[in-house]
Amino acid sequence: VKHGPERRGTAERPLGVAVVGAGYWGPNLIRNFAAHVETTLLWVCDRDESRLSAASRALAGTRTTTTIEDVLDDDAVDIVAIATPAATHLELGLACLASGRHVLMEKPLATSTADARRLVAVAEENDVVLMCDHTYCYTPPVLRIRELLLDGTVGDVQYVDSVRINLGLVQPDIDVTWDLAPHDLSILDFVLPPDQRPIAVSASTADPLGVGQACIGFLTLPLPNGGIVHVHVNWLSPTKIRKTIVAGSKRMLVWDDLLPSQRLSMYDRGIDATELDPEGRKNLLVSYRTGDMVAPALPEREALGGVVDELVAAIREHRQPLTDGQSGLRVVAALEAASRSVAEAGRLVPLEP
Ligand SMILES: NC(=O)c1ccc[n+]([C@@H]2O[C@H](COP(=O)([O-])OP(=O)(O)OC[C@H]3O[C@@H](n4cnc5c(N)ncnc54)[C@H](O)[C@@H]3O)[C@@H](O)[C@H]2O)c1
């Protein structure tokens, strides 16, 4: 263990934070760490100087730098939040974790399963928290969906159908699956009970623009109980859709994230098939349930506030956060398996339990 005798974050003072990467997403982390009562934003680091002035102009007392070394040399830094492109996550993450810092890593945790495993291992060796910013898991609808699945309200999951499409920014370094599907995969990982997570993935993608990067992706993931998950991610859609159906044997949920007045709807609908003749499977009694729809009241709350709450709690309580390094690793493993499936014409690639 390379840090001092005292594990960072045990003392009753605010936790010192550095945010690395102040591009598109970093400023959201900066704002949330600056606002939280239990954190003090000490540094903003970006190797592009022009990002620094824009990001930290309004923050008195926060220093800026273009090098991670300045951040790690400051003993007051307890947490490093990393919001740089995925290809830089391994190197930056290893440096921070090995210096005894707790790390909040943007999704995806890394660009390969092997790299994600190294990050998880180095966090364990240094007894520090490695949390993955699977932001959607901390939104009120997803937290409620998780509750409704874990407490049995939804029943056995029959299928999940998730659509995340818009006219998106074509990314130079990653395809649409690695860009958007981490959201769907991390949500699934979060809401499904551990023994009901997908067991394999089959994926197809297309690059009709010829930019060398798939901009349409379809993922199919069988569930252990015979159910199925489908994920559609797309940068080439005329309209923006963010909609997920979770169909269970007792209730069906529809989460439409673009409908602020009713993001989540719970339907008492479904089809019950009762077998009258167990031998022949010929005599099925099919009955339809078309009961009420209720829209649970949800708080309007910024998810990143919940991310910071959970990170601070995990550090203080010396426990794993809800979206820990292992969950980041499972998401990366599913993405890697999806890429392998694409390369092998859609073969069903098993996921490790
Ligand atoms: N949680 C979410 O919902 C969400 C949303 C968007 C992006 N992200 C993630 O955030 C990360 C950053 O994405 P973005 O869209 O903000 O990218 P971006 O390109 O807009 O910003 C990245 C910034 O990192 C800086 N940078 C790169 N390498 C660096 C290094 N070694 N040291 C210091 N600074 C460095 C760049 O100069 C740039 O300003 C990605 O992992 C992305 O997947 C997450």
Side-chain angles (χ1 to χ4, degrees), residues 140-203:
V142 175
L143 287 164
R144 185 60 65 87
I145 292 170
R146 180 174 193 261
E147 249 174 62
L148 293 168
L149 282 168
L150 295 183
D151 72 9
T153 304
V154 171
D156 223 24
V157 175
Q158 297 166 329
Y159 69 87
V160 177
D161 195 359
S162 200
V163 182
R164 188 174 303 281
I165 67 180
N166 63 307
L167 206 56
L169 269 183
V170 174
Q171 307 273 346
D173 51 339
I174 48 170
D175 72 2
V176 69
T177 307
W178 279 82
D179 185 40
L180 294 184
H183 295 306
D184 307 279
L185 295 170
S186 62
I187 292 165
L188 274 177
D189 187 79
F190 186 70
V191 302
L192 290 174
D195 60 343
Q196 292 173 37
R197 290 181 186 139
I199 50 178
V201 59
S202 161

Side-chain angles (χ1 to χ4, degrees), residues 58-347:
L59 301 169
T62 299
R63 288 193 279 172
T64 60
T65 175
T66 53
T67 63
I68 184 78
E69 286 74 23
D70 286 340
V71 167
L72 298 182
D73 282 347
D74 182 354
D75 190 53
V77 172
D78 302 305
I79 298 170
V80 184
I82 300 175
T84 55
T88 66
H89 288 182
L90 177 71
E91 197 189 329
L92 288 169
L94 288 179
C96 297
L97 294 167
S99 75
R101 269 47 178 243
H102 307 288
V103 167
L104 175 68
M105 186 68 84
E106 267 316 317
K107 61 85 196 165
L109 180 58
T111 53
S112 72
T113 308
D115 289 358
R117 278 218 176 85
R118 275 185 73 191
L119 287 166
V120 170
V122 172
E124 262 167 30
E125 278 161 30
N126 288 276
D127 189 24
V128 290
V129 169
L130 170 61
M131 176 167 172
C132 200
D133 178 18
H134 291 156
T135 316
Y136 271 106
C137 299
Y138 299 87
T139 61
V142 175
L143 287 164
R144 185 60 65 87
I145 292 170
R146 180 174 193 261
E147 249 174 62
L148 293 168
L149 282 168
L150 295 183
D151 72 9
T153 304
V154 171
D156 223 24
V157 175
Q158 297 166 329
Y159 69 87
V160 177
D161 195 359
S162 200
V163 182
R164 188 174 303 281
I165 67 180
N166 63 307
L167 206 56
L169 269 183
V170 174
Q171 307 273 346
D173 51 339
I174 48 170
D175 72 2
V176 69
T177 307
W178 279 82
D179 185 40
L180 294 184
H183 295 306
D184 307 279
L185 295 170
S186 62
I187 292 165
L188 274 177
D189 187 79
F190 186 70
V191 302
L192 290 174
D195 60 343
Q196 292 173 37
R197 290 181 186 139
I199 50 178
V201 59
S202 161
S204 316
T205 61
D207 171 22
L209 301 174
V211 293
Q213 211 61 274
C215 64
I216 303 162
F218 300 107
L219 275 60
T220 307
L221 304 100
L223 296 172
N225 66 351
I228 194 162
V229 175
H230 186 251
V231 176
H232 174 196
V233 286
N234 193 335
W235 285 328
L236 197 56
S237 161
T239 58
K240 181 168 177 168
I241 304 177
R242 296 274 183 272
K243 205 170 192 171
T244 303
I245 301 175
V246 181
S249 53
K250 296 187 190 155
R251 291 289 183 277
M252 293 184 170
L253 309 175
V254 178
W255 167 35
D256 185 346
D257 207 45
L258 301 184
L259 206 64
S261 60
Q262 191 181 316
R263 285 190 213 276
L264 188 61
S265 315
M266 181 164 69
Y267 293 85
D268 181 9
R269 288 191 189 160
I271 301 177
D272 300 314
T274 317
E275 226 169 282
L276 297 181
D277 167 20
E279 302 298 306
R281 280 186 160 264
K282 282 176 196 143
N283 231 343
L284 272 187
L285 180 68
V286 173
S287 61
Y288 290 79
R289 248 183 318 111
T290 53
D292 290 342
M293 185 279 285
V294 291
L298 299 173
E300 275 295 328
R301 167 154 210 257
E302 186 178 1
L304 275 180
V307 171
V308 178
D309 284 347
E310 176 64 8
L311 174 64
V312 169
I315 293 169
R316 297 281 199 221
E317 294 162 22
H318 206 155
R319 62 164 171 84
Q320 290 292 331
L322 279 170
T323 52
D324 60 1
Q326 293 286 355
S327 71
L329 167 60
R330 285 191 296 273
V331 168
V332 170
L335 291 166
E336 202 173 76
S339 296
R340 195 172 316 140
S341 174
V342 168
E344 298 176 31
R347 178 173 75 86

